[in-house]
Amino acid sequence: MIFDGHSDIFTDVTIKRLLGETQVIKNHHLTRLRKGGVEGGCFVIWIDPPYDKEPSKRLEQILKATKEEMAECDEAVLVHNMAEIEAAKKAGKFFILLGMEGLSGIGEDVEQIHMLYDFGARHAMLTWNEQNPLATGVQGDPCRGLTELGKKAVRLLQHKKMIMDVSHLNERSFWDVMDVSEGPILASHSNAKALAAAARNLTDEQLLEIRDTKGLVGLNSFNLFVSEDVNGQNVDNLVKHASYIADKIGVEHLGFGFDFFEFLSTDSMRSYSSQETSFTVGLEDCSKVPELLIKMKAAGFTEKELEMVSGGNWLNLIHRVIG
């Protein structure tokens, strides 16, 4: 089983439904996911540029599109815990754990976390790249971390047994989360800064801290997080990130969080780079995931370790945090 711990497919769902399409997951995504052996994933609600100028309005649009899409889609189901995941697998349905890629849409109203939980969210980040009333993303003030509201949000998220994700936080906010939080911490789509100095990749100290929370790091296929050199943005170097993280903190703390978005425009990617592509060569989309596993096996990952990284570690985290 392969679990993709970070997907922006609900952004595509929203864009296409606002243009009048229906059954977006079935018509545009399921065939490719199944070809890649992906059985489930964490699909996030992301306030995408340029709509991040009115985040609460965009949040409302995405929630509406998500609700309508899932009501139509017989082949996929939102899940809220391990029992529902097992039921979905038994029924042969693609299962989706709903996540929040940033909480800018709630502004200063931390109590809206209850609404998001009731809607189905079981995962959250405090920010995308922006600086907001809760915390500071990687493109914000490096001297600014969590606010008092942000600390309240962390406590509430963990009280509600939602997975706390630090992938988009700047370092100050990362360490503030570690000071406030209890239990496992996730970095759903970040690689090793020792191999690629992208702002969202993790230092060795951050990797070790996540390990010490009994948390998880999701391997990211976004090309700029694989290598700063365009010629090095290939699947072989992504495997090096997998090996580095597994060696540094243990294979039991490694999963996948591919961050594929070849199906979206390049507007958001330009917040990182002027490159015209987002993919790693050899892992252009989710249909190519089996080729990554072949490369990882050749690099020394055992069959048992590949099972853990492909999905077992994610399911273990969901079981321990959510239930």
Side-chain angles (χ1 to χ4, degrees), residues 248-259:
K248 177 66 64 175
I249 65 174
V251 71
E252 67 271 24
H253 300 289
L254 179 65
F256 292 144
F258 290 118
D259 202 12

Side-chain angles (χ1 to χ4, degrees), residues 33 67-68 72 94-95 106 131 140 167 173 194 205 226 277 288 291 300 318:
L33 288 161
K67 182 177 181 178
E68 292 174 349
E72 293 174 356
F94 188 91
F95 60 92
I106 69 172
Q131 182 171 302
S167 258
S173 293
E205 292 76 15
V226 175
T277 61
K288 301 292 186 68
E291 297 175 33
I318 292 167

